[in-house]
Amino acid sequence: MNTVKSFWMGWGSLCLAGAGAYYFAKKSINADRAARLEEARRKKQMIDSLEYSNNVPSKPLSASTMGGSANGNGHPARTDTAGSPSQEASSDPAPTRHAPATEGQQVIEKSKYESSTPYRSPKGDRFS
């Protein structure tokens, strides 16, 4: 049969074992977090070093060397917009809508998903 002494000895050893497990688990978790943090810092530092490496010119280049007004062979720059969607969109051959000319048209103009007339709720008794 359990005595008072054995009862408290059992609970004390259980609490001591739980506290020890908590201590070592917390220590392990903190070590894992520190390792992950250090790995993330190392990765960020490597990305930053690649981004700001020495192959980036320190002084700004002229427009001709950057491909601005003339390229290296003396010919003017290419005006082909294929492969540049932002430039292709402005020269769309058949736009679905035109830009509003006046402010009044801008207020009145609706999208293709909006109804041309506003919704009017039916009047009268709805409970009969």
Side-chain angles (χ1 to χ4, degrees):
M1 189 138 202
N2 289 340
T3 63
V4 173
K5 186 177 181 180
S6 67
F7 174 80
W8 286 112
M9 192 65 117
W11 273 106
S13 62
L14 182 66
C15 290
L16 188 64
Y22 174 81
Y23 173 77
F24 288 113
K26 185 78 169 170
K27 195 173 181 181
S28 172
I29 288 170
N30 285 342
D32 289 345
R33 284 182 182 164
R36 277 188 286 158
L37 179 65
E38 184 60 33
E39 184 179 339
R41 283 183 183 161
R42 208 177 9 207
K43 184 177 179 183
K44 184 173 177 6
Q45 183 181 14
M46 187 175 69
I47 290 171
D48 287 346
S49 69
L50 289 174
E51 185 175 343
Y52 300 112
S53 65
N54 291 335
N55 57 0
V56 177
S58 59
K59 60 181 180 177
L61 300 174
S62 66
S64 62
T65 57
M66 292 294 286
S69 60
N71 52 18
N73 57 9
H75 295 286
R78 219 174 71 179
T79 58
D80 184 17
T81 59
S84 176
S86 60
Q87 290 180 356
E88 288 179 8
S90 63
S91 62
D92 192 8
T96 56
R97 296 203 177 263
H98 66 281
T102 65
E103 188 175 326
Q105 287 179 343
Q106 188 174 8
V107 171
I108 295 172
E109 185 172 323
K110 298 189 178 291
S111 75
K112 62 182 180 178
Y113 298 108
E114 285 183 280
S115 172
S116 57
T117 59
Y119 174 73
R120 302 236 187 258
S121 63
K123 303 294 181 212
D125 187 13
R126 294 179 190 87
F127 301 111
S128 58

